[in-house]
Amino acid sequence: MDARLLRLQASFDAMEARFDTLESCVGGVVGAVGAGGAPGASGASGASGAPGPAPPSSAKGPTGAVVGAGESATVDRLQAELDAKGVSATFIRAPKEYYDETLEFRQSVLGAPSVDCLCKSIVMENTRIDEASCRADPSLRKYWLVIVQYACPGAKKELLNKCVHGLQPSLSRKKVNMRVVAEDTSIELSGFGKNAVSPIGLRTKMPIIMAKAIADLDAGVFWLGGGEVDVKAGLSVSSFIAAYEPIVAPLY
């Protein structure tokens, strides 16, 4: 074999060696990825072929602090009522800026599936009847607790009036006019201050009306006042309905 052929053969041998090295490197990368590791990663997990860490879940937990037993007398009282009814709940204490922030911020504080799960309880009254009329006719109610979503503009007056009238057919339509009570009346009747009103542990028993949109939530959970201004309670919608038997009606 002449010198030219020898040089050509040496070149082929060198190229083959480089291809072997490249193939080895590619195989190592594929193996690392298949085992859950990363190229160049070291450690027992990669060496043993054990799976790497699981990808993070898309469901995020609350950034607010969970209120535990014994941390709040009010929460303990509400929790005791829920326990007696067989309803589980999570109580979260929100930061002081909670009400100044967006619904998305509040959602993250509570770990709620969507802003549609954020709700509030409002004490309302029928201004066209008085308490004397209610005492004379036990089927009549002047005060009602209405649960609606923050993400919605609020209950439409005509729909709420229609609901209340339908539940009290002895009243004429002209005798129904629903409005939000004054803050001091709300505190007196519910036992809770502003932004803390809850259907759990109410001081005065009153019928509850829940917006149908809450009952229809795909997430199946909702959040509302937890008895203190910075505490919110998260509950299963179906469990709440079974335990508290609210009137579910279209309100918007």
Side-chain angles (χ1 to χ4, degrees):
M1 185 178 297
D2 59 25
R4 188 179 59 179
L5 289 177
L6 287 174
R7 288 195 299 271
L8 186 59
Q9 182 64 48
S11 297
F12 281 134
D13 289 344
M15 290 176 62
E16 185 176 7
R18 286 197 293 270
F19 278 125
D20 287 343
T21 301
L22 180 59
E23 183 178 13
S24 176
C25 291
V26 171
V29 171
V30 172
V33 173
S42 61
S45 174
S48 65
S57 171
S58 59
K60 296 181 180 179
T63 60
V66 176
V67 182
E71 294 181 18
S72 163
T74 299
V75 170
D76 287 348
R77 178 172 65 84
L78 270 57
Q79 185 63 67
E81 179 176 301
L82 292 170
D83 289 343
K85 292 178 176 290
V87 179
S88 61
T90 299
F91 290 86
I92 299 290
R93 190 172 297 282
K96 61 182 180 179
E97 68 271 19
Y98 182 83
Y99 291 104
D100 296 326
E101 293 288 350
T102 64
L103 292 182
E104 288 74 17
F105 173 86
R106 302 181 197 183
Q107 175 192 353
S108 68
V109 167
L110 303 176
S114 77
V115 297
D116 293 330
C117 300
L118 310 182
C119 304
K120 56 185 174 180
S121 304
I122 308 167
V123 180
M124 304 191 72
E125 66 176 328
N126 181 359
T127 64
R128 302 272 170 83
I129 62 173
D130 54 27
E131 294 185 54
S133 300
C134 294
R135 288 193 293 270
D137 183 352
S139 70
L140 300 182
R141 295 289 185 274
K142 179 174 178 62
Y143 299 106
W144 303 72
L145 189 74
V146 181
I147 305 176
V148 294
Q149 296 159 292
Y150 273 102
C152 294
K156 290 185 177 179
K157 188 171 183 177
E158 63 270 22
L159 292 178
L160 184 56
N161 284 349
K162 180 180 179 180
C163 174
V164 171
H165 176 261
L167 294 166
Q168 301 175 117
S170 62
L171 288 177
S172 69
R173 292 185 183 276
K174 293 183 179 181
K175 295 291 286 183
V176 179
N177 179 55
M178 298 296 292
R179 75 173 182 190
V180 178
V181 301
E183 187 174 344
D184 58 346
T185 302
S186 176
I187 294 172
E188 178 184 355
L189 293 173
S190 70
F192 305 117
K194 183 180 179 181
N195 293 326
V197 178
S198 177
I200 312 161
L202 281 171
R203 175 183 291 166
T204 305
K205 187 176 181 180
M206 65 186 83
I208 301 171
I209 299 176
M210 172 187 276
K212 186 176 182 295
I214 301 173
D216 292 341
L217 283 170
D218 291 336
V221 294
F222 72 125
W223 290 83
L224 35 64
E228 295 180 9
V229 66
D230 59 348
V231 173
K232 301 299 169 186
L235 305 97
S236 155
V237 173
S238 59
S239 295
F240 176 84
I241 291 175
Y244 286 86
E245 300 181 334
I247 297 97
V248 178
L251 298 181
Y252 32 77

